[in-house]
Amino acid sequence: MGLGGEDFKVQVMMVGGRRCGKTSILAAMKSNFEDRFAKTDLTFSYGNADTLDILEEKRNEINEYFQAAGNRTFVQDRNPTEEMKKYSFSMGIAGKRGKIKIDFVDYPGEWLTDKGHRQEIVDCMKKSSVIIVAIDTPHMMEEEGRFNENRNLCHRTGEMLKLAFEEAGISMSLVLFVPLKCERYLVDGRIEEVCNKTISSYKDLIHYFKRSASKYEVAVTPIFTLGDAMFSHFERDKETMEIKMNELSGTPEKAIYYFGDTAAKEPHPLHCEQPLVYLLVYLM
């Protein structure tokens, strides 16, 4: 498999709506993995300088939330992805020559509904051994889920994945449903509810996987990219008290977050290594 000789390459595609937090997963993944496996011989490093540059910029953006906001609230995801990007990593065993080369592919969330980019996304899905479905949890959970479809594009994501899998004749694939921005639901003891809502939101796609259970490995794994930042509310108009809407996307204009620990000066991401753990088990 590459850990003792030749390199082994795998492509992971990250799907999800605009500003759902896909890039933030990668920014927190490396440090959580290194913490989790610090006492083992497993190594995990950036695959190239471009990946280092982009994710360090994202890490700095996340750190600014803590350094600039103080006790105030803030808005996440100020710099959404504008083009398809590939992030390269290398995983191996210390002292061994072979590596697992992992390419994570990310794209602008609005491309899922753009006819001009639709085939490009389907082609990328067909080439990917692992799919990470990133989910904006507050849009799924709040206001009885009325913003869920417009933000997370659950149905469209599922139908495009089914289209890609059928066209490619994929023999086996790992699919991870990853709720993000769910720190508040962890504190409130509602993570099981988050998982159940995820299964309900993507029920058609999950039923598709169940019909071919030998071909697909599927899991729901919430992760916490900031650790101390909690969803507060969707911004409302001060006069009408109605949620301010982005008419183009049909979603709230701003989701407001606050710090559960006002003394926190840096993020404390949790469980962001889980997609890598699932990937290792799947490859083994």
Side-chain angles (χ1 to χ4, degrees):
M1 200 187 72
L3 292 182
E6 298 298 322
D7 288 342
F8 181 88
K9 296 182 180 180
V10 59
Q11 179 168 293
V12 180
M13 186 174 186
M14 308 180 69
V15 302
R18 182 175 175 83
R19 290 184 171 177
C20 68
K22 298 190 298 296
T23 312
S24 297
I25 300 175
L26 300 176
M29 182 183 292
K30 185 172 182 293
S31 60
N32 272 179
F33 185 89
E34 289 173 338
D35 290 343
R36 173 75 179 272
F37 294 98
K39 296 181 180 180
T40 74
D41 290 332
L42 279 175
T43 64
F44 187 62
S45 59
Y46 294 116
N48 55 49
D50 288 340
T51 298
L52 169 63
D53 291 343
I54 296 171
L55 294 185
E56 282 298 295
E57 181 179 349
K58 188 66 174 181
R59 282 169 57 87
N60 291 338
E61 176 190 325
I62 292 172
N63 285 334
E64 286 178 5
Y65 297 152
F66 290 81
Q67 296 165 1
N71 294 334
R72 299 188 301 274
T73 58
F74 67 97
V75 178
Q76 285 196 46
D77 305 312
R78 298 193 300 255
N79 300 304
T81 301
E82 301 293 344
E83 60 184 358
M84 187 171 282
K85 294 180 180 178
K86 183 178 290 186
Y87 305 89
S88 297
F89 294 89
S90 178
M91 183 185 298
I93 297 175
K96 301 291 185 180
R97 292 181 58 188
K99 303 288 184 182
I100 301 175
K101 303 291 188 179
I102 310 171
D103 286 335
F104 289 85
V105 179
D106 187 15
Y107 64 90
E110 64 269 26
W111 281 18
L112 274 175
T113 58
D114 183 351
K115 292 182 179 180
H117 292 98
R118 186 163 52 199
Q119 192 58 47
E120 185 177 355
I121 290 179
V122 170
D123 289 343
C124 187
M125 289 174 173
K126 290 159 64 173
K127 296 175 183 176
S128 301
S129 302
V130 181
I131 302 292
I132 293 178
V133 181
I135 302 163
D136 187 312
T137 305
H139 285 77
M140 179 175 71
M141 296 289 288
E142 301 298 322
E143 299 293 318
E144 299 183 341
R146 67 187 178 105
F147 304 124
N148 187 21
E149 185 61 39
N150 284 348
R151 169 66 82 176
N152 290 310
L153 305 171
C154 310
H155 183 263
R156 175 170 287 272
T157 297
E159 292 305 309
M160 290 188 70
L161 281 170
K162 287 189 280 186
L163 175 64
F165 290 164
E166 291 295 328
E167 285 187 4
I170 290 175
S171 59
M172 193 169 181
S173 184
L174 171 65
V175 182
L176 299 176
F177 294 91
V178 182
L180 304 169
K181 307 176 182 178
C182 48
E183 283 83 349
R184 173 176 169 182
Y185 308 102
L186 175 66
V187 171
D188 291 348
R190 298 175 63 193
I191 287 299
E192 183 175 356
E193 183 183 344
V194 168
C195 293
N196 290 336
K197 184 65 174 178
T198 298
I199 293 170
S200 173
S201 298
Y202 295 89
K203 60 181 183 299
D204 291 343
L205 180 59
I206 291 174
H207 288 160
Y208 172 83
F209 294 143
K210 286 183 177 180
R211 286 194 289 268
S212 301
S214 63
K215 294 173 60 175
Y216 302 104
E217 297 285 343
V218 181
V220 178
T221 175
I223 64 176
F224 312 93
T225 53
L226 296 185
D228 290 308
M230 313 289 175
F231 171 78
S232 175
H233 62 278
F234 296 120
E235 186 179 40
R236 294 179 179 271
D237 185 278
K238 292 182 179 179
E239 294 182 1
T240 66
M241 296 308 295
E242 295 290 329
I243 293 174
K244 292 183 179 181
M245 297 293 293
N246 182 311
E247 298 302 329
L248 184 62
S249 66
T251 59
E253 189 67 47
K254 290 182 180 179
I256 309 300
Y257 291 77
Y258 69 97
F259 295 105
D261 178 3
T262 56
K265 299 300 181 184
E266 60 183 13
H268 294 95
L270 296 171
H271 308 312
C272 296
E273 81 286 349
Q274 285 302 302
L276 286 173
V277 174
Y278 278 104
L279 172 60
L280 275 177
V281 174
Y282 170 69
L283 293 178
M284 292 297 183

Coordinates of all heavy atoms in Angstrom, one line a residue, residues 121-172:
I121 N -17.4 19.1 -11.9 CA -17.5 18.5 -10.5 C -17.8 17.0 -10.6 O -17.2 16.2 -9.8 CB -18.7 19.3 -9.8 CG1 -18.2 20.7 -9.4 CG2 -19.1 18.5 -8.5 CD1 -19.3 21.5 -8.7
V122 N -18.7 16.6 -11.5 CA -19.0 15.2 -11.7 C -17.7 14.4 -12.0 O -17.5 13.3 -11.5 CB -20.1 15.0 -12.7 CG1 -20.2 13.5 -13.1 CG2 -21.4 15.5 -12.3
D123 N -16.9 15.0 -12.9 CA -15.7 14.3 -13.3 C -14.7 14.1 -12.2 O -14.1 13.1 -12.0 CB -15.0 15.1 -14.5 CG -15.7 15.0 -15.8 OD1 -16.6 14.1 -15.9 OD2 -15.5 15.8 -16.7
C124 N -14.7 15.2 -11.3 CA -13.8 15.1 -10.1 C -14.3 14.0 -9.1 O -13.6 13.3 -8.5 CB -13.7 16.5 -9.5 SG -12.5 16.6 -8.1
M125 N -15.6 14.0 -9.0 CA -16.2 13.0 -8.1 C -15.9 11.6 -8.6 O -15.6 10.7 -7.8 CB -17.8 13.1 -8.1 CG -18.3 14.3 -7.3 SD -20.1 14.5 -7.5 CE -20.4 15.9 -6.4
K126 N -15.9 11.4 -9.9 CA -15.6 10.1 -10.5 C -14.2 9.6 -10.2 O -13.9 8.4 -10.1 CB -15.9 10.1 -12.0 CG -17.4 10.2 -12.3 CD -17.7 10.7 -13.7 CE -17.2 9.8 -14.8 NZ -17.6 10.3 -16.1
K127 N -13.3 10.6 -10.1 CA -11.9 10.2 -9.9 C -11.5 10.1 -8.4 O -10.4 9.8 -8.1 CB -11.0 11.3 -10.5 CG -11.2 11.4 -12.0 CD -10.4 12.6 -12.6 CE -10.6 12.8 -14.1 NZ -9.9 14.0 -14.6
S128 N -12.5 10.4 -7.5 CA -12.2 10.4 -6.1 C -12.5 9.1 -5.4 O -13.6 8.6 -5.6 CB -12.9 11.6 -5.4 OG -12.5 12.8 -6.0
S129 N -11.6 8.6 -4.6 CA -11.9 7.4 -3.8 C -12.6 7.6 -2.5 O -13.3 6.8 -1.9 CB -10.6 6.7 -3.5 OG -9.8 6.4 -4.6
V130 N -12.5 8.9 -2.0 CA -13.2 9.3 -0.8 C -13.9 10.6 -1.0 O -13.4 11.5 -1.7 CB -12.1 9.5 0.3 CG1 -12.8 9.9 1.6 CG2 -11.3 8.2 0.5
I131 N -15.2 10.7 -0.5 CA -16.0 11.9 -0.5 C -16.2 12.3 0.9 O -16.7 11.6 1.7 CB -17.3 11.6 -1.2 CG1 -17.1 11.1 -2.7 CG2 -18.2 12.9 -1.3 CD1 -16.5 12.1 -3.6
I132 N -16.0 13.6 1.1 CA -16.3 14.2 2.4 C -17.4 15.2 2.1 O -17.3 16.2 1.4 CB -15.1 15.0 3.1 CG1 -14.1 14.0 3.5 CG2 -15.6 15.8 4.3 CD1 -12.8 14.6 4.1
V133 N -18.6 15.0 2.7 CA -19.8 15.9 2.6 C -19.8 16.8 3.8 O -20.1 16.4 4.9 CB -21.1 15.1 2.5 CG1 -22.3 16.1 2.3 CG2 -21.1 14.1 1.4
A134 N -19.3 18.0 3.6 CA -19.2 19.0 4.6 C -20.6 19.7 4.8 O -21.2 20.1 3.8 CB -18.1 20.1 4.3
I135 N -21.0 19.8 6.1 CA -22.4 20.3 6.4 C -22.3 21.5 7.3 O -21.7 21.5 8.4 CB -23.2 19.2 7.0 CG1 -23.2 17.9 6.1 CG2 -24.6 19.6 7.4 CD1 -23.7 16.7 6.8
D136 N -23.0 22.6 6.9 CA -23.1 23.8 7.8 C -24.2 23.4 8.8 O -25.4 23.5 8.5 CB -23.5 25.0 6.9 CG -23.5 26.3 7.7 OD1 -24.1 26.3 8.8 OD2 -22.9 27.3 7.3
T137 N -23.8 23.1 10.0 CA -24.8 22.5 11.0 C -25.9 23.5 11.4 O -27.0 23.2 11.5 CB -24.0 22.0 12.2 OG1 -23.1 21.0 11.8 CG2 -25.0 21.3 13.2
P138 N -25.5 24.8 11.7 CA -26.6 25.7 12.2 C -27.7 25.9 11.1 O -28.9 26.0 11.4 CB -25.9 27.0 12.4 CG -24.5 26.6 12.8 CD -24.2 25.4 11.9
H139 N -27.3 25.9 9.8 CA -28.3 26.0 8.8 C -29.2 24.8 8.7 O -30.3 24.8 8.3 CB -27.7 26.3 7.4 CG -27.2 27.8 7.3 ND1 -26.1 28.2 7.9 CD2 -27.7 28.8 6.7 CE1 -25.9 29.5 7.6 NE2 -26.9 29.9 6.9
M140 N -28.6 23.7 9.1 CA -29.4 22.4 9.1 C -30.3 22.3 10.4 O -31.4 21.8 10.3 CB -28.4 21.2 9.1 CG -29.1 19.9 9.2 SD -27.9 18.5 9.0 CE -27.1 18.6 10.6
M141 N -29.9 22.9 11.5 CA -30.5 22.7 12.8 C -31.5 23.8 13.1 O -32.5 23.5 13.8 CB -29.5 22.5 13.9 CG -28.6 21.3 13.7 SD -29.5 19.7 14.0 CE -29.7 19.8 15.8
E142 N -31.2 25.0 12.8 CA -32.0 26.1 13.3 C -33.2 26.4 12.4 O -33.2 26.0 11.2 CB -31.1 27.4 13.4 CG -29.9 27.2 14.3 CD -30.3 27.0 15.7 OE1 -31.2 27.6 16.2 OE2 -29.6 26.2 16.4
E143 N -34.1 27.2 12.9 CA -35.3 27.6 12.2 C -36.0 26.4 11.5 O -36.5 26.5 10.4 CB -34.9 28.7 11.1 CG -34.3 29.9 11.7 CD -35.3 30.7 12.5 OE1 -36.5 30.9 12.1 OE2 -34.9 31.3 13.6
E144 N -36.0 25.3 12.3 CA -36.7 24.1 11.8 C -36.1 23.6 10.5 O -36.8 22.9 9.7 CB -38.2 24.3 11.7 CG -38.8 24.6 13.1 CD -40.3 24.7 13.0 OE1 -40.9 24.9 11.9 OE2 -41.0 24.6 14.1
G145 N -34.9 24.0 10.2 CA -34.2 23.5 9.0 C -34.6 24.1 7.7 O -34.3 23.6 6.6
R146 N -35.3 25.3 7.8 CA -35.8 25.8 6.5 C -34.7 26.4 5.6 O -35.0 26.6 4.4 CB -36.9 26.9 6.8 CG -36.4 28.2 7.5 CD -37.6 29.0 7.9 NE -37.2 30.3 8.6 CZ -37.3 31.5 8.0 NH1 -37.6 31.6 6.7 NH2 -37.0 32.5 8.8
F147 N -33.5 26.6 6.1 CA -32.4 27.1 5.3 C -31.5 25.9 4.9 O -30.5 26.2 4.2 CB -31.6 28.2 6.0 CG -32.4 29.3 6.5 CD1 -32.4 29.7 7.8 CD2 -33.2 30.0 5.6 CE1 -33.2 30.8 8.3 CE2 -34.0 31.1 6.0 CZ -34.0 31.5 7.4
N148 N -31.7 24.7 5.3 CA -30.8 23.6 5.1 C -30.5 23.3 3.7 O -29.4 23.3 3.3 CB -31.4 22.4 5.8 CG -30.4 21.2 5.8 OD1 -29.2 21.3 5.7 ND2 -31.0 20.0 6.0
E149 N -31.6 23.2 2.9 CA -31.4 22.8 1.5 C -30.7 23.9 0.7 O -29.8 23.6 -0.1 CB -32.7 22.5 0.8 CG -32.6 22.0 -0.6 CD -31.8 20.7 -0.7 OE1 -31.9 19.8 0.2 OE2 -31.0 20.6 -1.7
N150 N -31.0 25.2 0.9 CA -30.4 26.3 0.2 C -28.9 26.4 0.6 O -28.1 26.8 -0.3 CB -31.1 27.6 0.5 CG -32.5 27.7 -0.3 OD1 -32.7 26.9 -1.2 ND2 -33.3 28.6 0.1
R151 N -28.6 26.1 1.8 CA -27.2 26.3 2.2 C -26.4 25.0 1.9 O -25.3 25.1 1.3 CB -27.1 26.5 3.7 CG -25.7 26.4 4.3 CD -24.7 27.5 3.7 NE -24.9 28.8 4.5 CZ -24.2 29.9 4.3 NH1 -23.3 29.9 3.3 NH2 -24.5 30.9 5.0
N152 N -26.9 23.8 2.3 CA -26.1 22.6 2.2 C -26.3 21.8 0.9 O -25.6 20.9 0.6 CB -26.4 21.7 3.4 CG -25.8 22.3 4.7 OD1 -24.6 22.6 4.7 ND2 -26.6 22.4 5.7
L153 N -27.4 22.2 0.1 CA -27.7 21.6 -1.2 C -27.7 20.0 -1.0 O -27.1 19.3 -1.8 CB -26.6 22.0 -2.2 CG -26.5 23.5 -2.4 CD1 -25.3 23.9 -3.3 CD2 -27.8 24.1 -3.0
C154 N -28.4 19.6 0.0 CA -28.4 18.1 0.3 C -28.9 17.3 -0.9 O -28.2 16.3 -1.2 CB -29.3 17.9 1.5 SG -29.0 19.0 2.9
H155 N -30.0 17.6 -1.4 CA -30.6 16.8 -2.5 C -29.7 16.9 -3.7 O -29.4 15.8 -4.3 CB -32.0 17.3 -2.8 CG -32.7 16.5 -3.9 ND1 -32.7 16.8 -5.2 CD2 -33.3 15.3 -3.8 CE1 -33.4 15.9 -5.9 NE2 -33.7 14.9 -5.1
R156 N -29.3 18.1 -4.1 CA -28.5 18.2 -5.3 C -27.1 17.5 -5.1 O -26.6 16.8 -6.1 CB -28.2 19.7 -5.7 CG -27.2 19.9 -6.8 CD -27.2 21.3 -7.3 NE -28.5 21.6 -8.0 CZ -28.6 21.5 -9.3 NH1 -27.6 21.0 -10.0 NH2 -29.7 21.8 -9.9
T157 N -26.5 17.6 -4.0 CA -25.3 16.9 -3.7 C -25.5 15.4 -3.9 O -24.7 14.7 -4.5 CB -24.8 17.2 -2.3 OG1 -24.5 18.6 -2.1 CG2 -23.6 16.4 -1.9
G158 N -26.5 14.9 -3.3 CA -26.8 13.4 -3.4 C -27.0 13.0 -4.8 O -26.5 11.9 -5.3
E159 N -27.8 13.7 -5.6 CA -28.1 13.3 -7.0 C -26.8 13.4 -7.8 O -26.6 12.5 -8.7 CB -29.2 14.2 -7.6 CG -30.5 14.0 -6.9 CD -31.0 12.6 -7.0 OE1 -30.9 12.0 -8.1 OE2 -31.4 12.0 -5.9
M160 N -26.0 14.4 -7.6 CA -24.7 14.5 -8.4 C -23.8 13.4 -8.1 O -23.1 12.8 -8.9 CB -24.1 15.9 -8.3 CG -24.9 16.9 -8.9 SD -24.1 18.6 -8.9 CE -22.8 18.3 -10.1
L161 N -23.7 13.0 -6.8 CA -22.9 11.9 -6.4 C -23.4 10.6 -7.0 O -22.6 9.8 -7.5 CB -22.8 11.8 -4.9 CG -21.9 12.8 -4.1 CD1 -22.1 12.7 -2.6 CD2 -20.4 12.5 -4.5
K162 N -24.7 10.4 -7.0 CA -25.2 9.1 -7.6 C -24.9 9.1 -9.1 O -24.6 8.1 -9.6 CB -26.7 9.0 -7.3 CG -27.0 8.7 -5.9 CD -28.5 8.4 -5.7 CE -29.3 9.6 -5.6 NZ -30.8 9.4 -5.3
L163 N -25.1 10.3 -9.7 CA -24.8 10.3 -11.2 C -23.3 10.0 -11.4 O -23.0 9.2 -12.3 CB -25.1 11.8 -11.7 CG -24.7 12.1 -13.1 CD1 -25.5 11.2 -14.1 CD2 -24.9 13.6 -13.4
A164 N -22.4 10.6 -10.6 CA -21.0 10.3 -10.8 C -20.6 8.8 -10.6 O -19.9 8.2 -11.3 CB -20.1 11.2 -9.9
F165 N -21.2 8.3 -9.5 CA -20.9 6.9 -9.2 C -21.4 5.9 -10.2 O -20.7 4.9 -10.6 CB -21.5 6.5 -7.8 CG -20.8 7.2 -6.6 CD1 -21.5 7.2 -5.4 CD2 -19.6 7.8 -6.7 CE1 -20.8 7.8 -4.3 CE2 -19.0 8.4 -5.7 CZ -19.6 8.4 -4.4
E166 N -22.6 6.2 -10.8 CA -23.1 5.4 -11.8 C -22.3 5.5 -13.1 O -22.0 4.4 -13.8 CB -24.6 5.7 -12.1 CG -25.5 5.4 -11.0 CD -25.7 3.9 -10.7 OE1 -25.5 3.1 -11.7 OE2 -25.9 3.5 -9.5
E167 N -21.9 6.7 -13.5 CA -21.1 6.9 -14.7 C -19.8 6.2 -14.6 O -19.2 5.6 -15.5 CB -20.9 8.3 -15.0 CG -22.2 9.0 -15.5 CD -21.9 10.5 -16.0 OE1 -20.7 10.9 -15.9 OE2 -22.8 11.2 -16.4
A168 N -19.2 6.3 -13.4 CA -17.8 5.7 -13.2 C -17.8 4.2 -13.0 O -16.8 3.6 -13.1 CB -17.1 6.5 -12.1
G169 N -19.0 3.7 -12.6 CA -19.0 2.3 -12.2 C -18.1 2.0 -11.1 O -17.4 1.0 -11.0
I170 N -18.1 2.9 -10.1 CA -17.2 2.8 -8.9 C -17.5 1.4 -8.2 O -18.6 1.1 -7.9 CB -17.4 4.0 -8.0 CG1 -16.9 5.2 -8.7 CG2 -16.7 3.8 -6.6 CD1 -17.1 6.5 -7.9
S171 N -16.4 0.7 -7.9 CA -16.5 -0.6 -7.2 C -16.5 -0.4 -5.7 O -17.0 -1.2 -5.0 CB -15.3 -1.5 -7.7 OG -14.1 -0.9 -7.3
M172 N -15.8 0.7 -5.2 CA -15.8 0.9 -3.8 C -15.5 2.3 -3.5 O -14.6 2.9 -4.1 CB -14.8 -0.1 -3.1 CG -15.0 -0.1 -1.6 SD -14.0 -1.4 -0.8 CE -14.4 -1.2 0.9

